[in-house]
Amino acid sequence: MDKVIGTLVAVAVVALVGWLMYRSWKRRTVRDESLSSYPVPAEHAAPVVDAEVLYVATTPLGEPLERLAVHGLAFRGSGHLEVLPEGLILRIAGESLTFVPADRLVGAQLASYAIDRGVEPEGLVALTWIAQEHGTVERTEPRVDSYVRARYPGDQARIIQAVNDIAAAPAAQRSEQDIAAAPAAPRPEQESEASND
């Protein structure tokens, strides 16, 4: 009789934990359903870097222990990462394709841990980007970190270099456009004429 009661209690505890986990995940999915990556361009150049990776998680910027349920990036899995002049493509097994345009990439750096995954120091690559947000009144630019682990030696440095290079290019272009659009500063003779008036 005691064994039966013990078994029933154990089953009830496991069922309760499973239900709480399911409810937590559903709430997270609803919370993050407005976030997504971007449509893949119909035409794009050949990859600058092409690497096999293990995709770990996507989290809010600077919060590696808070998983986001972004469509296509909700679950850990084997992946294939391509860095193109137009942006970054991440193909995760069993998930829809993820594309981040170059002007939405912030940069890449080394990381040591993310939710559900701790590795040797600086064993992960954190890809920082600006997610697309749908259905919100205020237009915000939510920054997120997507963590990957390169499968082969040398790929980690190549990924970081390539991502930072293409992320810097649109930023430099925007700076040049801002300078071109800025009103020209008055020449000294113009200032003196204005003061005489």
Side-chain angles (χ1 to χ4, degrees):
M1 186 66 178
D2 291 341
K3 289 184 178 179
V4 173
I5 293 174
T7 302
L8 291 174
V9 170
V11 169
V13 169
V14 170
L16 178 61
V17 170
W19 178 77
L20 290 173
M21 291 174 63
Y22 172 76
R23 188 180 71 165
S24 173
W25 182 253
K26 289 299 289 182
R27 288 172 62 185
R28 190 183 302 269
T29 302
V30 171
R31 180 197 70 183
D32 300 334
E33 66 182 357
S34 64
L35 300 178
S36 73
S37 58
Y38 299 81
V40 183
E43 296 182 2
H44 54 74
V48 178
V49 169
D50 192 333
E52 297 294 327
V53 298
L54 172 67
Y55 168 72
V56 179
T58 294
T59 71
L61 178 65
E63 298 181 42
L65 300 180
E66 178 62 31
R67 184 188 298 276
L68 292 172
V70 180
H71 182 67
L73 295 169
F75 301 103
R76 185 170 63 183
S78 298
H80 192 90
L81 185 146
E82 297 174 23
V83 183
L84 321 163
E86 295 85 358
L88 180 148
I89 293 177
L90 184 58
R91 308 172 195 271
I92 303 166
E95 296 284 346
S96 58
L97 186 146
T98 295
F99 175 72
V100 181
D103 64 352
R104 300 283 88 185
L105 278 170
V106 177
Q109 61 184 345
L110 296 171
S112 299
Y113 66 93
I115 188 165
D116 297 339
R117 186 77 178 186
V119 297
E120 74 278 4
E122 300 185 337
L124 297 175
V125 175
L127 306 165
T128 303
W129 55 286
I130 301 169
Q132 186 169 213
E133 191 165 28
H134 310 274
T136 55
V137 177
E138 293 185 11
R139 183 154 183 83
T140 60
E141 294 193 331
R143 298 194 173 204
V144 301
D145 290 323
S146 291
Y147 294 87
V148 298
R149 180 176 174 83
R151 286 197 178 276
Y152 301 109
D155 283 349
Q156 180 172 277
R158 292 171 59 235
I159 291 169
I160 291 173
Q161 182 66 54
V163 168
N164 286 335
D165 285 348
I166 66 168
Q173 291 171 0
R174 286 195 297 271
S175 297
E176 291 174 1
Q177 290 171 354
D178 291 343
I179 292 170
R187 296 194 304 274
E189 58 267 24
Q190 289 177 324
E191 291 181 350
S192 61
E193 288 174 6
S195 59
N196 290 337
D197 292 343

